[in-house]
Amino acid sequence: PRRRMRVQPFPGGKPPPVAPFRIIMAGTLYVVATPIGNRADLTPRAIETLRGVALIVAEDTRHSAPLLAWAGISTPVRSYHAHNEAEQSPRLVARLLEGSDVALISDAGTPLVSDPGARLVDAAIAAGITVTPIPGASAILAALVASGLSATAFTFLGFLPRAATERRAAAQWVLASPHTVVLYEAPPRVADLLQTLAAAGGAERRAVVARELTKLHEEFRRGTVAELAAYYGTTAPRGEVVVLIGGAPPTVPDHDAAARRASALREEGTSVRDTVRHLQKEFGVARNEAYRLAQGT
């Protein structure tokens, strides 16, 4: 015979109350651009965001305090910089996962661009947290659009290495770029940077030194690398500096030399395919022209 299960009644005849629960939605990490000089460049959206988050993390709280006070922002601020980002990033991600919104700012301009913040953004993304940019001022773009150099394509390298060997190698890379190159440099090293570029073969390259952007003494000094190196060799710039170097001029292929090289390669028995590769690499001739020369037609 089957055994019957006896159901024990709840004490008092009622089931115990179920503990209430709630779904916690993760907060958002806002990457907020701040002015590079002129406070009026702080956007209304940035102000609204900084007022609405639970916490602002700033590269230097003392530096950011006057700007936040000027904008009427009383949100709590915590320090976040290169020396504590490894320690602070997990704590901030935990707070975001608890539902708090956090804003990241740097001393000036857009965070992460030659500034701390990449570790926090990467950790937030890995945790599935939404990262939202609040665009604004950028010294790179401000310098570029008023420089007079091509802005169609450009490369930003930040600060070049300070060690002499690495600095010379980086200078060669800068001068080989077909695009405008934008650099940051500390004022006392601007002359050295320009002299390094001149010595690497870029003396006649167009260049611009942009200084104190958006501030009272904003200045753009334009000329060749050699001219600017001579000027700043005797006149050290003050304030924040952006250096822009014009792209390398396009090379004009030497078709006669390419034809002689193609003839020599054919005599050596080099395949058409390899001959084309040599001609393109050595002389920069177009692919169809390289094929014509490789075939001797």
Side-chain angles (χ1 to χ4, degrees):
R2 292 184 178 181
R3 296 180 61 186
R4 293 184 179 180
M5 296 182 63
R6 184 179 178 186
V7 179
Q8 295 287 344
F10 290 112
K14 295 182 179 180
V18 178
F21 68 94
R22 60 189 179 93
I23 298 175
I24 299 176
M25 301 296 291
T28 297
L29 174 62
Y30 294 95
V31 182
V32 183
T34 54
I36 57 177
N38 193 321
R39 289 177 176 175
D41 291 336
L42 186 64
T43 68
R45 186 182 177 206
I47 294 173
E48 180 182 8
T49 300
L50 294 174
R51 287 175 178 171
V53 296
L55 177 69
I56 297 171
V57 287
E59 185 178 1
D60 186 335
T61 56
R62 295 167 300 178
H63 182 93
S64 299
L67 173 69
L68 298 176
W70 171 83
I73 298 166
S74 58
T75 305
V77 183
R78 180 185 299 177
S79 179
Y80 182 88
H81 47 71
H83 301 294
N84 72 354
E85 60 180 340
E87 174 190 357
Q88 288 294 328
S89 293
R91 296 177 181 178
L92 293 168
V93 168
R95 182 156 184 177
L96 285 157
L97 289 172
E98 291 171 356
S100 296
D101 291 334
V102 176
L104 169 67
I105 63 174
S106 62
D107 285 350
T110 303
L112 277 73
V113 182
S114 291
D115 279 325
R119 187 190 294 263
L120 175 58
V121 170
D122 289 347
I125 291 171
I129 293 165
T130 299
V131 179
T132 299
I134 308 296
S138 166
I140 301 166
L141 297 180
L144 182 66
V145 298
S147 68
L149 301 177
S150 174
T152 302
F154 69 94
T155 301
F156 171 67
L157 295 182
F159 292 89
L160 292 192
R162 297 182 64 176
T165 302
E166 295 178 359
R167 198 169 176 86
R168 287 194 295 268
Q172 291 286 356
W173 194 97
V174 169
L175 295 174
S177 173
H179 311 131
T180 300
V181 176
V182 185
L183 306 168
Y184 284 162
E185 190 52 280
R189 294 197 295 270
V190 169
D192 175 77
L193 169 64
L194 294 166
Q195 289 162 6
T196 300
L197 290 168
E204 298 306 311
R205 188 71 60 84
R206 292 178 64 198
V208 179
V209 174
R211 186 178 68 85
E212 291 291 85
L213 294 171
T214 77
K215 300 178 184 177
L216 179 63
H217 299 292
E218 177 180 280
E219 177 186 59
F220 285 83
R221 189 166 292 274
R222 303 172 178 88
T224 65
V225 167
E227 290 168 345
L228 293 175
Y231 176 81
Y232 288 110
T234 58
T235 309
R238 295 181 179 180
E240 303 296 325
V241 174
V242 182
V243 179
L244 303 97
I245 309 299
T251 57
V252 179
D254 187 337
H255 292 282
D256 291 339
R260 291 192 296 270
R261 176 67 167 145
S263 178
L265 290 170
R266 287 198 306 273
E267 291 178 3
E268 295 171 5
T270 306
S271 69
V272 170
R273 180 179 178 181
D274 287 343
T275 299
V276 168
R277 180 172 55 82
H278 281 295
L279 296 178
Q280 287 189 294
K281 182 177 181 179
E282 295 175 25
F283 300 97
V285 296
R287 188 174 181 82
N288 58 347
E289 175 70 3
Y291 266 108
R292 187 185 68 77
L293 293 173
Q295 294 170 340
T297 58

